[in-house]
Every structure is written in structure tokens, then in C-alpha cells.
């Protein structure tokens, strides 16, 4: 988990679009690998495949951004269910979660990534990127009431 926390600390400097594009890049690379057309030399699921220096290079490919945002929109409600629903209406437990995230976002994302790997079966690289983006969005929008605020940011179900 310490390796993930160090990586999240580096990723925290990226903006939300850069993180989403990285998620899209990994998701598409994994899809290519599964289809037999993968050409990357680095395993696209490993933590080593995450590029923390992406901000220093060219603009974001819209195709990667769209793929990443689509995956984020699909996974974010599942992560909310995983993290917040078991808490129910227990205000004390939600307060502990709020304080943990507010005190150390790197540790919070570092703890969330392995949960995403085991509970949702996500690749380590994608889980780490998603955990970083989720915690970054939560921290940007609230000081207290993490689950309540998080729920408000979820995509609305199609009618």
C-alpha cells in the first residue's frame, strides 16, 4: 500500500482530465491486450504503467478522455455503494471516514485502490487512477459529509 500512496502523491498534481485520460488509456490498452492487438512493452495493468509525467507532454487525446470518463461514470456509483452504503445512517462512522479523507488524501486513495482491486476486480493501474480521481473529486467539493456530497456528484440514472 505504501507504493500506491507514493504514486497517488505524484498523481495528485494531475488535473481531473489528465487522470481521466490516463484511465482511458489504460482501459483501451487492456482492451487491446485482451483482443490480442496490444503493442505496449509495459504491462498495462501494473502500477509501473502509470505515467505521472503526462502533464508535461502534449494535449489530451479526446478519445482517451472520453473512454476514461465513461469508465469513471460507470465505476464511481459502484465505489460509492461499496464505501458509503455499508455505513448506513451511522453518523459516527461517516464522521471517521470524513476525517480520514480530509486528513490524508494520499492515504485514503491508497486504501481505496486495493479495495477496488478486490471488490470490483479492477486492474491495479486503473484502480489506483480511479481511487485518486474519486478522492480528488470528493476533497474538492466538501469539507464534511463525504458520502452526502459524493452522492450528489454521481451521474443521474437514465429514465
Amino acid at each position: 500500500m505504501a507504493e500506491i500512496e507514493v504514486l497517488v502523491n505524484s498523481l495528485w498534481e494531475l488535473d481531473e482530465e489528465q487522470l481521466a485520460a490516463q484511465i482511458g488509456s489504460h482501459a483501451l490498452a487492456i482492451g487491446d491486450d485482451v483482443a490480442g492487438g496490444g503493442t505496449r512493452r509495459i504491462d498495462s495493468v501494473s502500477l509501473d504503467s502509470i505515467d505521472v509525467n503526462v502533464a508535461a507532454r502534449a494535449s489530451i487525446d479526446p478519445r482517451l478522455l472520453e473512454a476514461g470518463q465513461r469508465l469513471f461514470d460507470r465505476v464511481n456509483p459502484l465505489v460509492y455503494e461499496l464505501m458509503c452504503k455499508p455505513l448506513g445512517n451511522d453518523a459516527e462512522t461517516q464522521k471517521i471516514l470524513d476525517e480520514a479523507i480530509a486528513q490524508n488524501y494520499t492515504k485514503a486513495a491508497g486504501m481505496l485502490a486495493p479495495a477496488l482491486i478486490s471488490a470490483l476486480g479492477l486492474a491495479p493501474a486503473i484502480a489506483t487512477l480511479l481511487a485518486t480521481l474519486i478522492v480528488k473529486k470528493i476533497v474538492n467539493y466538501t469539507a464534511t459529509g463525504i458520502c452526502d456530497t459524493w452522492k450528489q456528484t454521481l451521474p443521474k440514472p437514465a429514465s
Side-chain angles (χ1 to χ4, degrees):
M1 188 166 65
E3 180 183 5
I4 292 174
E5 288 180 30
V6 170
L7 184 57
V8 168
N9 199 33
S10 297
L11 291 171
W12 199 260
E13 299 303 315
L14 301 179
D15 67 30
E16 292 178 10
E17 285 189 346
Q18 290 166 328
L19 286 168
Q22 282 257 348
I23 292 166
S25 172
H26 282 80
L28 293 174
I30 291 169
D32 287 347
D33 289 346
V34 169
T39 58
R40 294 178 86 179
R41 284 185 271 159
I42 297 174
D43 181 7
S44 55
V45 301
S46 75
L47 294 176
D48 293 334
S49 67
I50 296 175
D51 184 2
V52 295
N53 297 314
V54 72
R57 290 197 299 280
S59 63
I60 295 172
D61 181 340
R63 185 178 71 103
L64 299 179
L65 180 59
E66 183 182 330
Q69 191 60 51
R70 232 182 7 256
L71 181 58
F72 176 81
D73 288 345
R74 199 167 62 233
V75 172
N76 190 29
L78 298 173
V79 179
Y80 169 80
E81 294 285 327
L82 177 71
M83 298 302 295
C84 292
K85 288 296 184 172
L87 300 178
N89 290 325
D90 181 5
E92 188 59 34
T93 306
Q94 287 189 17
K95 182 180 175 190
I96 292 168
L97 178 62
D98 293 347
E99 289 172 358
I101 290 174
Q103 287 176 5
N104 191 337
Y105 58 82
T106 303
K107 190 171 192 164
M111 291 170 51
L112 180 57
L116 297 180
I117 294 166
S118 64
L120 301 178
L122 296 174
I126 290 178
T128 302
L129 290 163
L130 282 167
T132 304
L133 184 54
I134 288 168
V135 171
K136 189 168 194 143
K137 283 183 176 284
I138 291 170
V139 169
N140 284 342
Y141 293 117
T142 187
T144 60
I146 297 295
C147 288
D148 291 338
T149 302
W150 189 352
K151 185 175 183 178
Q152 293 172 21
T153 67
L154 295 175
K156 305 298 180 226
S159 308

